[in-house]
Amino acid sequence: MPFLGQDWRSPGQSWGKTADGWTRFLDEKSGGFVGDISSFCKKDDHNKENLFNTINYDVAAKKRKKDLLNNKAKTQYFHQEKWIYVHKGSTKERHGYCTLGEAFNRLDFSSAILDSRRFNYVVRLLELIAKSQLTSLSGIAQKNYMNILEKVVQKVLEDQQNIRLIRELLQTLYTSLCTLVQRVGKSVLVGNINMWVHRMESILHWQQQLNNIQITRPAFKGTTFTDLPLCLQLNIMQRLSDGRDLVSLGQVAPDLQVLSEDRLLWKKLCQYHFTDRQIRKRLILSDKGQLDWKKMYFKLIRCYPRKEQYGDTLQLCRHCHILSWKGTDHPCTANNPETCSTSLSPQEFINLFRF
């Protein structure tokens, strides 16, 4: 008895409705599958084995094609909301309703990466999720994560900015996936293993594209950075918040190399990122008996997290528990909504969904 579903007829075969019911016909375009099977039953074992291999090969090829289509399928952004309501605590009735994956899907991160004030915030959030929270996302959220990551990479390839930041993100994600794929038997990842292998191949391809970027020097014959007075050069260097940028800048010219070794410059950098107590625990003296602030900085960043600053962040209203981007109006019932909002760092955003 055939399966009485929505359409129980076998795919790839021709059927016609007659007075006696549905009748199967042989279709030359379909390759005469029924005739092939009938003739196969009369052949020897050698041909039988060949036919089995052919059928298995076709099934495997169709499966690979299906997996590839699933990999290339993009998640539609059904939600592009400027704010969402965050439940405090989790009950049996609403368990799993407000999760990290749901917030990642509903908030408009795809447009946030186009805003230079929010770009670094989103990249840092992607990095934290890649380190420890990837398995907590739903299947749609994981696909959404990869789609947003692809948009980030394409933006960097076009603008040729924040290259090192994205390299570190991709390396962190690839390392995490290598660990998770080895444990796929424990159902730590959602989806087919071939899909994750394809995503890892995409990450390697993106890394290669970033490595092949060659920044062309603009044809500008006016005033350059080295033409500025030394006080202005030092003033600009003090605006850099990453010591690696200072090192890279010092490699441009011999004069900049001397300025990049300025002790006061590295001292202010250490005092900006770390507390006095942290600095006192990691004191390093130079050969001249003075504090080596440059070595202390790189030692401190290996021991403590650096201070993070973002132009725009997500914020949580303590009065109505609504999560939104900074500067976004939300239906708050407080008399002064601005005083109720608290800016969230990327780590605090993730901790918000840990019950």
Side-chain angles (χ1 to χ4, degrees):
M1 180 178 179
F3 175 73
L4 299 179
Q6 184 177 4
D7 188 357
W8 50 267
R9 293 166 291 170
S10 301
Q13 300 176 5
S14 299
W15 290 73
K17 190 173 184 180
T18 62
D20 298 332
W22 286 95
T23 304
R24 181 174 56 180
F25 298 98
L26 291 179
D27 188 2
E28 296 180 357
K29 295 182 180 180
S30 63
F33 182 77
V34 176
D36 290 342
I37 293 295
S38 300
S39 60
F40 154 74
C41 296
K42 301 178 182 179
K43 294 182 180 180
D44 55 10
D45 294 338
H46 177 71
N47 292 333
K48 188 182 299 185
E49 182 180 357
N50 290 337
L51 182 57
F52 271 124
N53 292 336
T54 303
I55 295 175
N56 292 334
Y57 176 80
D58 293 339
V59 172
K62 291 180 180 179
K63 185 177 184 302
R64 286 194 299 269
K65 183 177 180 181
K66 181 180 179 181
D67 292 339
L68 184 60
L69 292 176
N70 290 335
N71 293 334
K72 293 183 178 180
K74 301 299 181 184
T75 303
Q76 296 181 359
Y77 296 97
F78 297 104
H79 303 286
Q80 293 186 352
E81 303 177 16
K82 296 182 179 180
W83 57 268
I84 61 173
Y85 178 77
V86 180
H87 295 284
K88 300 298 292 183
S90 177
T91 63
K92 184 177 181 180
E93 291 77 11
R94 66 188 185 194
H95 176 69
Y97 176 73
C98 191
T99 61
L100 177 62
E102 184 198 16
F104 193 81
N105 283 332
R106 294 177 60 187
L107 288 173
D108 192 8
F109 286 103
S110 59
S111 299
I113 60 178
L114 303 179
D115 192 337
S116 59
R117 298 171 301 171
R118 302 175 181 177
F119 181 82
N120 289 349
Y121 186 93
V122 176
V123 171
R124 177 58 177 166
L125 182 60
L126 294 176
E127 184 179 4
L128 291 176
I129 292 177
K131 285 182 178 179
S132 59
Q133 300 298 320
L134 191 61
T135 56
S136 65
L137 300 181
S138 63
I140 295 180
Q142 290 177 359
K143 185 180 290 187
N144 193 18
Y145 178 95
M146 296 301 300
N147 292 338
I148 293 178
L149 179 61
E150 183 178 2
K151 286 188 175 183
V152 169
V153 174
Q154 295 302 324
K155 183 178 185 301
V156 172
L157 292 175
E158 294 174 1
D159 301 342
Q160 295 187 349
Q161 298 179 3
N162 302 302
I163 298 176
R164 184 179 61 215
L165 189 66
I166 306 306
R167 282 177 180 171
E168 295 175 353
L169 169 60
L170 293 178
Q171 184 59 39
T172 300
L173 178 60
Y174 187 80
T175 303
S176 299
L177 287 180
C178 287
T179 304
L180 294 175
V181 167
Q182 295 175 0
R183 300 166 52 195
V184 72
K186 299 180 181 179
S187 301
V188 295
L189 289 173
V190 180
N192 190 285
I193 183 62
N194 295 334
M195 176 178 61
W196 286 102
V197 172
H198 175 78
R199 290 173 177 174
M200 294 175 68
E201 292 174 351
S202 299
I203 294 174
L204 292 176
H205 177 65
W206 294 336
Q207 288 178 326
Q208 185 64 34
Q209 287 182 309
L210 293 175
N211 293 332
N212 294 336
I213 290 181
Q214 294 182 356
I215 301 178
T216 57
R217 190 169 185 173
F220 178 71
K221 299 181 180 180
T223 303
T224 62
F225 181 76
T226 55
D227 295 332
L228 299 174
L230 294 180
C231 59
L232 291 181
Q233 294 182 24
L234 280 174
N235 194 4
I236 293 175
M237 288 183 175
Q238 291 176 1
R239 300 296 189 271
L240 300 177
S241 60
D242 195 330
R244 293 171 296 181
D245 294 332
L246 281 178
V247 174
S248 299
L249 185 59
Q251 296 173 351
V252 175
D255 295 338
L256 296 178
Q257 172 67 28
V258 177
L259 290 179
S260 65
E261 298 293 335
D262 185 72
R263 293 182 63 252
L264 183 60
L265 197 64
W266 289 98
K267 179 181 179 180
K268 290 184 177 180
L269 197 61
C270 290
Q271 292 175 343
Y272 172 77
H273 286 288
F274 310 104
T275 63
D276 294 338
R277 182 179 179 182
Q278 292 173 341
I279 293 175
R280 287 195 299 268
K281 289 184 176 180
R282 308 293 173 180
L283 295 178
I284 299 178
L285 297 178
S286 63
D287 297 336
K288 298 180 181 180
Q290 298 176 340
L291 291 176
D292 195 332
W293 291 101
K294 182 178 180 180
K295 290 184 178 180
M296 288 171 55
Y297 170 80
F298 288 106
K299 186 174 182 179
L300 286 167
I301 61 175
R302 292 193 297 266
C303 301
Y304 308 105
R306 288 177 296 178
K307 181 180 179 181
E308 297 178 356
Q309 271 196 344
Y310 305 98
D312 199 356
T313 63
L314 287 170
Q315 59 182 9
L316 179 67
C317 180
R318 300 187 302 270
H319 181 76
C320 55
H321 305 298
I322 284 182
L323 182 67
S324 62
W325 286 105
K326 187 177 180 180
T328 303
D329 295 331
H330 65 275
C332 185
T333 57
N335 296 329
N336 192 358
E338 296 180 357
T339 59
C340 299
S341 299
T342 303
S343 297
L344 299 178
S345 66
Q347 186 62 57
E348 291 173 338
F349 169 79
I350 292 178
N351 294 338
L352 186 65
F353 300 96
R354 291 179 178 174
F355 300 114

